[in-house]
Amino acid sequence: MTSERAMHDIGGLDLGPIDRTEHPRTLYELRVDAMLMLLTGPACGAFKTDALRRAIEEFSQEDYDHLPYYDRWLQAITNLLVEQQVLTREEIEARVAAITKELADAA
């Protein structure tokens, strides 16, 4: 058994105090959370919640360290949808581009 820590395994490390103050979640955070609940719920069941953890743990050290918490979730959800052949990366990118255009046109 190896004693090397994975990047997400920070238990027991002295990283300073933890900010335990609550903050209101942003609309983006609420939407990412809702997307996860819908995709893992019994009506859809695209993947299990444990798969999200695995997908996040597969990130590169740089992505894991620099992506904000909900961005990690969103990237992991995207990777899992592609992995499970629910959508292709191209379909996801096309939809994001269409939404971005709609928002720009509305502004």
Side-chain angles (χ1 to χ4, degrees), residues 3-51:
S3 62
E4 188 174 319
R5 289 179 183 256
M7 65 192 144
H8 61 277
D9 184 11
I10 59 172
L13 296 178
D14 184 13
L15 300 174
I18 297 172
D19 179 5
R20 296 181 185 266
T21 58
E22 291 291 325
H23 71 279
R25 292 196 297 170
T26 66
L27 180 59
Y28 168 74
E29 293 169 339
L30 292 168
R31 286 181 173 172
V32 172
D33 188 62
M35 190 181 334
L36 178 63
M37 294 304 109
L38 290 169
L39 289 167
T40 58
C44 180
F47 51 85
K48 303 284 185 206
T49 303
D50 289 341

Side-chain angles (χ1 to χ4, degrees), residues 4-103:
E4 188 174 319
R5 289 179 183 256
M7 65 192 144
H8 61 277
D9 184 11
I10 59 172
L13 296 178
D14 184 13
L15 300 174
I18 297 172
D19 179 5
R20 296 181 185 266
T21 58
E22 291 291 325
H23 71 279
R25 292 196 297 170
T26 66
L27 180 59
Y28 168 74
E29 293 169 339
L30 292 168
R31 286 181 173 172
V32 172
D33 188 62
M35 190 181 334
L36 178 63
M37 294 304 109
L38 290 169
L39 289 167
T40 58
C44 180
F47 51 85
K48 303 284 185 206
T49 303
D50 289 341
L52 182 77
R53 180 184 323 187
R54 176 192 51 82
I56 291 171
E57 291 173 356
E58 290 177 348
F59 286 174
S60 69
Q61 181 77 49
E62 182 177 351
D63 284 344
Y64 191 87
D65 288 344
H66 293 96
L67 284 174
Y69 185 75
Y70 281 95
D71 287 0
R72 284 188 217 148
W73 279 27
L74 188 57
Q75 185 60 53
I77 288 169
T78 300
N79 292 346
L80 288 167
L81 289 173
V82 171
E83 177 184 294
Q84 297 298 316
Q85 299 179 348
V86 175
L87 296 167
T88 66
R89 196 159 302 277
E90 292 77 20
E91 289 170 324
I92 295 168
E93 290 170 0
R95 185 64 182 136
V96 168
I99 292 169
T100 301
K101 182 179 181 330
E102 287 174 25
L103 292 173

